[in-house]
Amino acid sequence: GGVVQLSATCERYDSSTPYHVVRRLLRDLLDLPAEGSDQATAQQFLDAIATRAPTVLPWAPLIAMAIDLSVPETPETSELEEEFRRPRLADAVLELLAHLLPESGLLTVEDAHFMDEASADLFRHLAAPIGATSWLFCVTRRDIESGFVAPSDDATRIDLRPLDNMEATELAQFATHDAPLAPHELGVLVERSDGNPLFLRELIAAAMNGDAVDAL
């Protein structure tokens, strides 16, 4: 209670759009519209930077690029060689977040295996000093080689296993508390879910909508 909570959800169809996850997160923190790249939004972005993080203003064009806006180059960004733009962008975002965020909070990233590579690179910079902060990152992902992977030094990894029969039965009873199913029907759903809680909840929802349990 009372802790700042930020969240980002990665989608498969956005995994090829550079900075898509970062864009949504930063636009929300800067009170910008979720979509749109018109001049009025660009000016609103510059005004927000000037007011809330003035030291970042020389690097505003880099941040603007990450959130799908176009603002005039500054002397600092115009002199920056292309190979150094992404690392400098990461540093600028870190500095911006230091202005925008409190000293502690929770950041949840869902389905990080779908994160676009540009956002993943920036999140790696963001996560590197996490052990020296009072922030907690909670990252959910499949065990595949894509997207953002949390640095191992300061990470606690929890591998989710299938629910056993007792756990699945407990979940099923909880989910049907207001409209209990017959014990044998509940047993069929638990067995067919194979320990996957999402499958179990979907099977229960279908059964409660009137689908015959034996036909599921």
Side-chain angles (χ1 to χ4, degrees), residues 143-181:
D143 193 13
I144 56 179
E145 294 182 3
S146 62
F148 169 66
V149 180
S152 58
D153 292 346
D154 293 302
T156 298
R157 173 172 169 149
I158 302 174
D159 291 308
L160 298 182
R161 55 174 178 75
L163 301 177
D164 63 29
N165 189 73
M166 183 179 297
E167 293 166 336
T169 300
E170 184 179 355
L171 173 60
Q173 291 171 339
F174 179 82
T176 59
H177 181 268
D178 294 332
L181 297 174

Side-chain angles (χ1 to χ4, degrees), residues 23-206:
R23 180 189 312 166
R24 287 182 292 186
L25 186 64
L26 291 182
R27 280 180 175 246
D28 184 53
L29 287 173
L30 291 167
D31 298 320
L32 299 176
E35 302 292 340
S37 54
D38 55 274
Q39 191 56 44
T41 303
Q43 187 58 53
Q44 185 180 350
F45 161 73
L46 289 175
D47 292 343
I49 296 292
T51 302
R52 303 173 64 183
T55 60
V56 186
L57 203 54
W59 309 106
L62 299 181
I63 302 173
M65 176 188 68
I67 63 174
D68 195 27
L69 292 174
S70 178
V71 302
E73 292 279 349
T74 64
E76 289 82 358
T77 59
S78 61
E79 295 175 1
L80 199 61
E81 295 184 20
E82 187 63 32
E83 62 184 293
F84 299 118
R85 291 179 76 85
R86 181 180 281 193
R88 192 63 190 84
L89 165 61
D91 291 339
V93 170
L94 290 177
E95 186 178 349
L96 174 62
L97 293 177
H99 285 277
L100 299 180
L101 296 176
E103 293 184 356
S104 63
L106 169 67
L107 172 60
T108 303
V109 182
E110 299 277 3
D111 294 332
H113 53 283
F114 289 141
M115 187 180 292
D116 64 272
E117 183 52 40
S119 291
D121 182 61
L122 201 151
F123 266 83
R124 282 189 283 270
H125 282 81
L126 190 61
I130 192 68
T133 74
S134 296
W135 274 80
L136 173 66
F137 283 15
C138 180
V139 181
T140 70
R141 57 169 294 116
R142 295 177 185 166
D143 193 13
I144 56 179
E145 294 182 3
S146 62
F148 169 66
V149 180
S152 58
D153 292 346
D154 293 302
T156 298
R157 173 172 169 149
I158 302 174
D159 291 308
L160 298 182
R161 55 174 178 75
L163 301 177
D164 63 29
N165 189 73
M166 183 179 297
E167 293 166 336
T169 300
E170 184 179 355
L171 173 60
Q173 291 171 339
F174 179 82
T176 59
H177 181 268
D178 294 332
L181 297 174
H184 74 276
E185 293 180 322
L186 209 64
V188 170
L189 300 182
V190 166
E191 180 181 357
R192 293 184 183 176
S193 71
D194 199 28
N196 185 310
L198 173 61
F199 290 170
L200 178 56
R201 291 176 66 89
E202 292 297 312
L203 286 168
I204 290 171

